[in-house]
Amino acid sequence: MKRYIYSAGAVLLLGGCLPAMADTYYVPQYPVHWYVDGGYSMTTGQTSNYLDNGWNIGGGVQWRPAPGPFSLRADLNFSRYDATNQLLAEGSIADQTEIDNGWGDVFTFDLDGVFDIPLGNGVKAYLMAGGGGAYRRISLTQTVGFGGYYCGWGFCSVGYYPGDVLVD
């Protein structure tokens, strides 16, 4: 008898269920979207011999001139990487000056066309093509003594200041 009660209870529960209808709402379509990005940036290949992994930050704007799948996207990014010991050693040997610190900066700009491909409810893929450019700068520094002593706050020490050696 119990198994009939359990079966009847299951049938009543299933029969009494109504599908949950999702709320519908209006999402306005703005022609301009902006964004910011940032994170960890990894060096690969020969670049990893001279620069350690670093970080990046950037942003951009995406403009949809008319309703439809096509839009234009512009990105501007900045990345910073510390110099490896190998770069510092090679810089010291080539210039006969001891290099003790360094870093690399990379600025990039891209302008792309974007074509959206709707896949489902709120999910889409996209194809993107375009071009851009990049500017890189490597800065190597050395600590140079100016031959003086600094005394203050109850102690004295030899004064040093960093001097920049720029490599472009």
Side-chain angles (χ1 to χ4, degrees):
M1 181 73 177
K2 282 186 176 180
R3 88 175 181 202
Y4 294 115
I5 292 175
Y6 290 136
S7 298
V11 169
L12 286 174
L13 285 175
L14 288 175
C17 292
L18 294 174
M21 304 303 281
D23 289 336
T24 58
Y25 56 92
Y26 172 73
V27 177
Q29 296 295 318
Y30 298 108
V32 177
H33 297 266
W34 62 273
Y35 54 91
V36 294
D37 58 44
Y40 186 70
S41 182
M42 294 177 30
T43 58
T44 60
Q46 288 185 348
T47 303
S48 63
N49 294 334
Y50 301 107
L51 296 173
D52 287 328
N53 297 333
W55 55 270
N56 66 351
I57 189 166
V61 64
Q62 189 163 348
W63 175 59
R64 189 172 307 276
F70 183 74
S71 61
L72 293 173
R73 177 177 171 159
D75 297 314
L76 181 63
N77 288 293
F78 170 76
S79 302
R80 168 65 64 100
Y81 308 93
D82 287 332
T84 62
N85 291 333
Q86 180 177 349
L87 177 61
L88 298 177
E90 288 181 13
S92 297
I93 293 168
D95 194 53
Q96 300 298 321
T97 305
E98 186 171 339
I99 306 296
D100 57 6
N101 196 9
W103 62 91
D105 295 331
V106 180
F107 297 90
T108 61
F109 175 76
D110 294 313
L111 184 61
D112 303 305
V114 180
F115 184 77
D116 293 329
I117 304 166
L119 298 177
N121 223 2
V123 177
K124 64 181 176 179
Y126 60 91
L127 297 174
M128 188 165 70
Y135 171 75
R136 66 162 171 77
R137 178 179 174 202
I138 306 286
S139 298
L140 303 174
T141 61
Q142 62 180 349
T143 304
V144 179
F146 57 82
Y149 287 94
Y150 170 77
C151 292
W153 297 93
F155 68 92
C156 292
S157 68
V158 177
Y160 289 97
Y161 66 95
D164 284 341
V165 178
L166 300 178
V167 179
D168 281 329

